[in-house]
């Protein structure tokens, strides 16, 4: 298989790392990739939002499969673009088409789907500028905290959780008046759910599905889940409370109705589905769907998949997923993100990273890194490295990652010291 991975984060490095273990891989490209992916495959200086350029490259290099890491090209219709051109019919793009990607691209779409197919989720109502007064009335009926969600994708910032009613009303107005641009033309107001979050992933060919290892990510920048939201500061897998009983509920109440529901709506969903769930007193509720893998969850999910990833991708492409197995590594995996000081606000790039080497039990997946002409590796983003380790249990996996981090350094590096502590 000649594979092209689109993206440049820790997620894409972890997918590249896993792909490279397959005997089916004959050539690997990553666009644009980072300093880590360049050691496994060939980085390509290509914008993944430029579908024409991606297509030209894929034809030129006889690519068989394109795996799309981030949501943006999917929500913008990269799959539809490839399907619209006869000369690209030999290339499989892994991910949902534009309509199916609304699962992530439109909160209103996903809430309607969940309501229609009885998938457990927070109670909600959707408002526009035209019925903002009803929105105020709805908020008055709810208890705090108030959850407001911009319908569209707002760079991960479109969800507001507010303690006071007057703040919630003000923000509803701000959102509907363009605070998040067109993404806020519709706003979902929903009930606040209290519980522990986890991420569950499946790979599906539209009919059959395989459940991948679950994970828990740590979104806030500060210890004990305080401070600003980030792309993710660390992740662990497995998640102790996601036992057989809980995962059976997830499968029967969430995964199966979602996949069946999409089919009934006439939507062919092929690709990864990321279920952002919350455990409310032992029952799973859907907080959100994403149409891609999570980051940093992928950095612990890929290491725990024992099966050949490319065989799974092939199963999805050829509608033979039911014939494939997902074998899971019994070891735990934990990843700790080393980020640039200041992230998720202002931070500096270009800091030389020292201490990168082969570790016995750890893998360093690169996120925002770049290789300079002289061969040195420097930081090139907020999240810089995902230091992932195996362990007999989550505690030992974390310990190994924290030990590896002691050997790695760059100016102003920051990481959370309490990843996974709530689970130990
Ligand atoms: P989302 O972009 O939908 O994942 O929302 C971002 C974050 O807001 C989630 O990861 C949750 O931590 C939180 N959140 C979203 N919806 C709810 C809800 N209904 N109840 C409690 N927390 C929520
Ligand atoms: N880690 C959450 C996400 O990828 O959206």
């Amino acid at each position: 298989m000649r594979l092209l991975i689109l993206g440049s984060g820790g997620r894409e490095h972890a997918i590249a790392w896993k792909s490279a273990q397959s005997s089916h891989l004959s050539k690997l490209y990553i666009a644009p990739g980072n300093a880590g992916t360049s050691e496994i495959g060939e980085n390509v200086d290509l914008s993944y939002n430029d579908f024409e350029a991606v297509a030209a490259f894929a034809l030129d290099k006889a690519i068989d499969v394109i795996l799309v890491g981030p949501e943006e090209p999917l929500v913008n219709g990269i799959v539809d673009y490839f399907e619209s051109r006869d000369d690209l019919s030999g290339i499989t793009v892994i991910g949902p088409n534009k309509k199916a990607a609304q699962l992530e691209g439109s909160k209103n779409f996903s809430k309607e789907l969940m309501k229609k197919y009885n998938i457990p989720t927070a109670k909600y109502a959707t408002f526009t500028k035209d019925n903002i007064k009803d929105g105020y009335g709805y908020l008055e009926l709810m208890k705090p905290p108030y959850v407001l969600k911009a319908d569209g994708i707002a760079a991960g910032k479109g969800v507001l959780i507010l303690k006071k009613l007057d703040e919630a009303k003000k923000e509803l107005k701000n959102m509907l008046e363009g605070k998040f641009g067109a993404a806020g033309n519709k706003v979902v107001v929903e009930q606040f759910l209290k519980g522990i979050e986890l991420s569950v992933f499946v790979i599906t060919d539209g009919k059959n599905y395989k459940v991948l290892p679950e994970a828990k990510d740590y979104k806030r920048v500060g210890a004990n889940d305080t401070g600003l939201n980030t792309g993710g500061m660390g992740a662990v897998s497995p998640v102790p409370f996601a036992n057989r009983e809980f995962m059976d509920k997830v499968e029967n109440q969430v995964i199966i109705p979602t996949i069946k529901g999409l089919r009934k709506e006439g939507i062919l969903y092929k690709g990864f589905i990321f279920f952002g769930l919350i455990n409310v007193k032992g029952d799973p509720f859907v907080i959100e769907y994403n149409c891609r893998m999570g980051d940093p969850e992928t950095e612990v999910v890929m290491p725990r998949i024992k099966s050949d990833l490319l065989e799974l991708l092939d199963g999805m492409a050829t509608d033979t997923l039911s014939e494939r197995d997902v074998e899971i590594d019994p070891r735990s995996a934990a990843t700790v993100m080393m980020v640039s000081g200041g992230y998720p606000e202002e931070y500096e790039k270009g800091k030389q990273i020292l201490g990168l080497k082969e570790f016995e039990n750890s893998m360093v997946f690169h996120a925002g890194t770049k290789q300079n002409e002289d061969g040195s590796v420097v930081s090139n983003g907020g999240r810089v490295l995902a230091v992932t380790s195996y362990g007999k249990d989550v505690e030992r996996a974390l310990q190994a990652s924290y030990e590896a981090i002691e050997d790695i350094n760059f100016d102003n590096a920051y990481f959370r010291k309490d990843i996974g502590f709530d689970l130990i």
Side-chain angles (χ1 to χ4, degrees):
M1 183 186 288
R2 297 174 64 81
L3 176 66
L4 167 64
I5 297 173
L6 301 184
S8 63
R11 168 180 51 207
E12 287 75 22
H13 188 185
I15 294 171
W17 169 85
K18 180 67 189 157
S19 303
Q21 292 166 14
S22 171
S23 58
H24 302 289
L25 186 74
S26 47
K27 182 74 197 175
L28 177 62
Y29 295 98
I30 307 97
N34 57 39
T37 60
S38 69
E39 304 215 335
I40 304 177
E42 207 174 300
N43 283 357
V44 193
D45 188 15
L46 198 63
S47 160
Y48 51 64
N49 286 313
D50 184 348
F51 301 160
E52 230 171 277
V54 174
F57 178 82
L59 284 174
D60 182 43
K61 302 293 183 191
I63 297 295
D64 301 303
V65 174
I66 301 176
L67 193 155
V68 185
E71 67 280 5
E72 201 186 349
L74 297 168
V75 173
N76 291 338
I78 190 169
V79 172
D80 310 66
Y81 179 83
F82 272 70
E83 281 172 0
S84 73
R85 274 180 50 182
D86 290 341
D87 58 334
L88 302 174
S89 65
I91 303 167
T92 301
V93 184
I94 302 280
N97 60 27
K98 192 170 182 169
K99 209 169 166 195
Q102 285 183 93
L103 211 51
E104 174 164 359
S106 165
K107 299 275 186 206
N108 183 53
F109 170 87
S110 69
K111 293 298 283 190
E112 278 180 0
L113 185 90
M114 288 187 265
K115 192 162 154 188
K116 189 162 174 188
Y117 295 97
N118 265 319
I119 297 161
T121 188
K123 285 197 190 66
Y124 80 103
T126 303
F127 302 97
T128 63
K129 248 193 191 149
D130 298 333
N131 63 354
I132 187 165
K133 292 231 165 69
D134 297 338
Y136 295 153
Y138 189 75
L139 282 167
E140 281 163 14
L141 294 174
M142 300 186 91
K143 284 193 208 117
Y146 304 92
V147 183
L148 305 181
K149 298 185 170 183
D151 176 51
I153 290 180
K157 297 194 166 71
V159 175
L160 299 180
I161 300 184
L162 304 149
K163 293 202 180 92
K164 295 212 173 92
L165 180 62
D166 56 339
E167 270 175 357
K169 286 182 175 173
K170 204 168 85 196
E171 285 298 349
L172 176 63
K173 184 163 183 277
N174 290 343
M175 284 166 93
L176 289 172
E177 283 178 353
K179 175 173 182 165
F180 297 119
N185 286 350
K186 286 183 196 161
V187 174
V188 170
V189 178
E190 71 176 34
Q191 169 202 14
F192 181 83
L193 297 174
K194 206 167 154 40
I196 308 178
E197 289 177 57
L198 83 158
S199 308
V200 171
F201 304 93
V202 304
I203 178 168
T204 178
D205 58 17
K207 191 172 173 196
N208 300 292
Y209 67 90
K210 296 286 170 187
V211 183
L212 305 179
E214 80 285 352
K216 182 175 192 291
D217 87 333
Y218 292 79
K219 290 198 173 81
R220 301 297 193 96
V221 72
N224 302 315
D225 293 325
T226 53
L228 292 174
N229 248 325
T230 70
M233 297 294 293
V236 300
S237 177
V239 180
F241 66 78
N243 53 22
R244 191 63 261 164
E245 188 193 355
F246 184 81
M247 290 306 286
D248 280 345
K249 286 184 191 171
V250 171
E251 236 174 303
N252 293 318
Q253 297 170 17
V254 177
I255 297 174
I256 294 172
T258 299
I259 291 172
K260 276 198 178 153
L262 286 164
R263 271 167 71 86
K264 282 206 184 121
E265 294 300 305
I267 293 173
L268 178 65
Y269 193 111
K270 274 175 184 273
F272 295 101
I273 309 180
F274 167 163
F275 299 86
L277 305 177
I278 188 161
N279 173 358
V280 183
K281 296 182 184 140
D283 287 315
F285 283 73
V286 178
I287 291 273
E288 65 164 346
Y289 292 107
N290 294 306
C291 62
R292 50 164 174 90
M293 289 297 291
D295 193 350
E297 290 96 326
T298 304
E299 289 93 304
V300 290
V301 170
M302 286 301 145
R304 293 198 62 229
I305 299 174
K306 267 180 140 179
S307 315
D308 188 316
L309 180 68
L310 301 195
E311 283 178 18
L312 292 173
L313 298 186
D314 184 64
M316 190 168 64
T318 57
D319 297 334
T320 54
L321 201 54
S322 60
E323 295 160 27
R324 317 289 165 129
D325 275 326
V326 178
E327 206 192 327
I328 294 177
D329 194 313
R331 285 176 295 175
S332 295
T335 194
V336 178
M337 270 286 173
M338 295 182 77
V339 307
S340 303
Y343 171 80
E345 297 183 286
E346 297 255 309
Y347 57 84
E348 289 175 23
K349 296 183 191 177
K351 307 289 187 192
Q352 187 169 359
I353 304 170
L354 300 171
L356 295 171
K357 59 175 184 196
E358 291 283 321
F359 291 91
E360 198 179 319
N361 278 317
S362 307
M363 293 80 73
V364 180
F365 295 125
H366 291 217
T369 70
K370 188 173 88 172
Q371 189 158 31
N372 281 339
E373 306 243 311
D374 63 6
S376 62
V377 175
V378 297
S379 65
N380 191 37
R383 294 192 291 173
V384 178
L385 302 168
V387 182
T388 302
S389 309
Y390 287 115
K392 220 176 128 201
D393 49 34
V394 164
E395 194 171 355
R396 272 172 264 204
L398 282 162
Q399 205 179 351
S401 282
Y402 283 120
E403 275 168 22
I405 284 177
E406 281 179 22
D407 291 347
I408 305 170
N409 198 25
F410 58 91
D411 192 25
N412 224 357
Y414 168 79
F415 58 92
R416 260 180 74 168
K417 297 178 181 67
D418 67 330
I419 299 300
F421 279 24
D422 57 328
L423 301 177
I424 294 171

